[in-house]
Amino acid sequence: MTKKILVVLADGFEEIEALGAVDVLRRLQLDVVTASLNGKNPVSGAHRILVDADRPFADCAKEDFDAVVLPGGMPGAENLRQSAALRDFLQTMARQGKIVAAICAAPMVLANAGLLDGKRFTMYPGFEAFLHGLTYTSRAAERDGNIVTGRGPGALFDFCREIAAALGCGEKIPALYEGMFVQK
């Protein structure tokens, strides 16, 4: 059965992190759905790239996904952090043991939902200062149980490697990355 992943887009999202993750995960033959947090299309990225999401987030919130991915970027990550509906969705996913992933500034969304408590995580340097008492590692990507975090745009391939491993399809990554000329 194909794994189903939700990538949530909010105005101001980091385009490389969002679209790069969608691209890599779809190349792994995973079912990736993009969702507009506020339901409007197109969603405007941090660098003014407009992206049409597949569906509004509200239409996806009751569906069964194996993973959710949050791209960073500002003010995208802050827009994600302010959504009570997304916070509830993330908490439900985590409680069910599903994969919850965030990159760059977006781990602050996970912290706001209480999902980084007792977990190792990484994020864009500087934002960890706002998350007192949590275990920041500064690695390119970090996986602790069902929580996957990435440091920023340059860590995208490491981040996707950890998501794939968490979803049980990590063995496909070496061949995929070799064909994409991704350095180890």
Side-chain angles (χ1 to χ4, degrees):
M1 180 180 211
T2 302
K3 302 285 184 171
K4 190 171 178 183
I5 296 100
L6 181 66
V7 177
V8 184
L9 305 176
D11 282 330
F13 70 92
E14 172 54 56
E15 295 94 340
I16 290 173
E17 295 163 355
L19 300 178
V22 169
D23 182 274
V24 168
L25 297 171
R26 284 185 178 169
R27 286 175 191 245
L28 291 171
Q29 305 302 308
L30 300 171
D31 180 9
V32 181
V33 174
T34 59
S36 169
L37 181 66
N38 66 8
K40 74 170 188 71
N41 266 328
V43 184
S44 180
H47 303 98
R48 299 179 312 278
I49 298 172
L50 301 176
V51 174
D52 281 332
D54 298 322
R55 303 206 317 254
F57 173 72
D59 291 354
C60 300
K62 302 268 190 247
E63 288 184 40
D64 188 30
F65 289 93
D66 297 291
V68 60
V69 177
L70 306 178
M74 291 300 277
E78 180 59 26
N79 290 332
L80 293 171
R81 190 184 71 78
Q82 291 178 12
S83 171
L86 178 61
R87 183 189 63 240
D88 293 345
F89 178 79
L90 295 171
Q91 290 171 336
T92 298
M93 291 280 291
R95 255 193 323 275
Q96 294 174 348
K98 306 293 180 84
I99 306 306
V100 178
I103 188 169
C104 195
M108 72 178 181
V109 181
L110 305 187
N112 185 58
L115 303 181
L116 294 183
D117 296 348
K119 301 281 188 181
R120 293 179 324 278
F121 73 97
T122 192
M123 66 188 313
Y124 195 84
F127 283 95
E128 78 283 356
F130 300 101
L131 308 178
H132 304 289
L134 299 176
T135 309
Y136 172 72
T137 68
S138 79
R139 293 179 45 179
E142 190 71 62
R143 180 167 45 119
D144 190 341
N146 63 327
I147 304 294
V148 178
T149 52
R151 194 161 186 206
L156 173 71
F157 292 108
D158 293 311
F159 178 63
C160 289
R161 177 183 290 117
E162 292 299 331
I163 293 170
L167 289 169
C169 57
E171 75 284 351
K172 296 178 180 179
I173 286 286
L176 174 64
Y177 282 6
E178 182 179 335
M180 294 175 73
F181 301 103
V182 175
Q183 300 292 316
K184 290 184 181 182

